[in-house]
């Protein structure tokens, strides 16, 4: 059983999580999160810890950001859009159990108050911002680093938040460059 409580968007996500692992969830009811749900998440974080596992779409990323800002020290599990898409629908509920287990095996923990190793200039040099294919490049690097897709500013923030080291970043970049993307 997973110790932390997994925060998901809805009932179908809970069903998919429980098909993959033994865990408890808190359902936000979508992106319109209310005070009662925030209180449950805050209590869960204090008592057992929280893993935020939202859909890899705009609404899911917005919800992830809102919860992170309010509840500090959360862990995060990420799926790519390809892993979470079935018949054009994107959501955690569409991911196969083995993909959900893989995402939960690779959770990232938020950290604050430390010196960041990845700087804006590193993102420019890697072609992750200010580059014609920057969005596609961030998507691929996000997969390699296990931090999901984000726009340039959020990608930089995630590198800081999850303490991506220069070594880890450079190894992912080398793998990325080897693929010729």
């Amino acid at each position: 059983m997973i110790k932390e409580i997994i925060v998901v968007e809805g009932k179908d996500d809970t069903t998919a999580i429980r098909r993959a692992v033994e865990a408890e969830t808190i359902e936000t009811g979508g992106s319109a999160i209310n005070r009662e749900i925030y209180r449950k998440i805050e209590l869960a974080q204090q008592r057992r810890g929280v893993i935020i596992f939202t859909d890899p779409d705009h609404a899911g990323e917005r919800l992830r950001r809102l919860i992170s800002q309010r509840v500090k020290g959360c862990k995060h599990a990420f799926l790519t859009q390809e892993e979470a898409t079935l018949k054009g629908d994107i959501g955690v509920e569409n991911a196969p159990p083995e993909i959900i287990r893989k995402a939960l095996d690779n959770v990232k923990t938020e950290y604050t108050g430390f010196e960041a190793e990845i700087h804006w200039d590193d993102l420019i040099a890697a072609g992750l911002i200010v580059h014609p294919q920057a969005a596609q490049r961030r998507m691929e690097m996000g997969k390699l680093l296990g931090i999901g897709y984000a726009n340039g500013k959020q990608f930089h923030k995630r590198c800081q938040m999850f303490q991506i080291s220069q070594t880890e970043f450079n190894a992912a970049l080398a793998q990325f460059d080897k693929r010729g993307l």
Side-chain angles (χ1 to χ4, degrees):
M1 177 159 177
I2 293 179
K3 175 190 161 217
E4 296 88 354
I5 296 175
I6 302 173
V7 177
V8 296
E9 294 179 56
K11 291 178 183 177
D12 291 339
D13 297 332
T14 291
T15 301
I17 296 292
R18 290 187 178 153
R19 273 195 306 258
V21 295
E22 188 177 340
E24 294 181 70
T25 63
I26 294 174
E27 297 166 3
T28 66
S31 59
I33 190 167
N34 62 42
R35 286 186 193 158
E36 180 183 335
I37 298 296
Y38 276 127
R39 280 195 289 269
K40 285 181 183 179
I41 296 169
E42 288 165 347
L43 182 60
Q45 176 65 353
Q46 291 168 8
R47 302 278 172 100
R48 293 178 46 192
V50 165
I51 299 172
I52 301 172
F53 200 178
T54 56
D55 296 346
D57 59 10
H58 178 71
E61 290 302 318
R62 179 183 169 276
L63 182 59
R64 179 186 300 278
R65 194 170 49 254
L66 289 172
I67 295 167
S68 280
Q69 289 170 350
R70 182 141 174 187
V71 184
K72 299 299 178 196
C74 293
K75 294 180 180 179
H76 296 260
F78 295 96
L79 293 172
T80 65
Q81 288 189 347
E82 295 84 21
E83 292 170 332
T85 301
L86 181 65
K87 297 179 184 175
D89 178 49
I90 298 174
V92 170
E93 72 273 10
N94 298 321
E98 63 274 7
I99 298 295
I100 290 173
R101 284 191 291 274
K102 179 180 151 203
L104 290 169
D105 285 342
N106 293 309
V107 294
K108 301 288 184 188
T109 303
E110 281 181 33
Y111 294 98
T112 57
F114 63 91
E115 182 64 31
E117 288 194 37
I118 307 302
H119 301 282
W120 199 249
D121 290 342
D122 296 317
L123 300 183
I124 293 171
L128 301 177
I129 52 175
V130 194
H131 185 279
Q133 286 85 35
Q136 179 64 30
R137 293 173 67 85
R138 280 192 311 275
M139 183 179 296
E140 294 303 318
M141 279 292 284
K143 287 178 192 176
L144 292 170
L145 292 169
I147 62 173
Y149 173 76
N151 66 29
K153 186 176 177 181
Q154 285 300 314
F155 192 91
H156 184 244
K157 184 176 180 179
R158 285 186 185 175
C159 286
Q160 293 174 349
M161 188 168 67
F162 299 128
Q163 291 187 319
I164 302 298
S165 70
Q166 193 70 49
T167 303
E168 187 178 5
F169 184 85
N170 290 340
L173 187 58
Q175 187 177 357
F176 177 81
D177 287 341
K178 187 186 282 186
R179 293 182 181 176
L181 302 171

